[in-house]
Every structure is written in structure tokens, then in C-alpha cells.
Amino acid sequence: MDALVPLIVAITGLPALGVAAWFARGGPGHSPGMALRWALLGAVVLLGALGLYWAGGSRAHVAGVLVAMAIAVNALFASMVLHLRRDRK
């Protein structure tokens, strides 16, 4: 039961790695910068799942992992938005 939530979080991070692979394939309209950001996003989610597994039943540790994960994911999304705005010009 303790591994169920980290497993679900890890599974939800896998599509981000698929999107990163899609952006990394090259072609018109595909940006290596976006591929990097999507790969980092997938890695953050997978590391967050690992952190949740490590935290176990400790509410303080779980809260710390969730706050760190939320900050990292939001920073990467802001980076994606800025990257897309820079590409339009």
C-alpha cells in the first residue's frame, strides 16, 4: 500500500518522457530546447515519485517532497512558456 501512490506518480511522469522523445526526433517545428524541458519534467516527476517512496509514512517528508516537486514542475512550465514566446519572434 505504501508503494501505490509513488507508483501512480511515476506512471503519470512517463508521458512527459514520450513527448520529449517526440520533440527530440528533429523535423520542422521540433525544438531541442522543448525536448530538454519535457525530459526534465519527466525526470522531476520520476524523482518526486522516488522521494515519495523514500518519505514513506512521514507527513513532514511527504509534504517537503510535494512542495519541492510543485516548485520544480511550475518552474519548468514557466521555462517552456518563455521558450515558446522566444521562438515566435
Side-chain angles (χ1 to χ4, degrees):
M1 187 68 175
D2 288 335
L4 183 62
V5 173
L7 181 64
I8 292 170
V9 171
I11 289 172
T12 61
L14 294 178
L17 296 176
V19 172
W22 182 71
F23 271 110
R25 67 182 182 160
H30 290 102
S31 168
M34 285 298 288
L36 174 66
R37 285 164 177 84
W38 276 104
L40 288 173
L41 182 70
V44 164
V45 173
L46 291 176
L47 287 173
L50 185 64
L52 287 174
Y53 182 72
W54 166 78
S58 171
R59 288 182 177 228
H61 289 126
V62 169
V65 169
L66 290 177
V67 167
M69 198 167 119
I71 290 170
V73 167
N74 285 319
L76 283 168
F77 275 131
S79 175
M80 282 186 203
V81 169
L82 292 174
H83 183 74
L84 286 174
R85 288 187 64 181
R86 193 174 329 125
D87 280 350
R88 283 189 185 172
K89 294 180 181 179

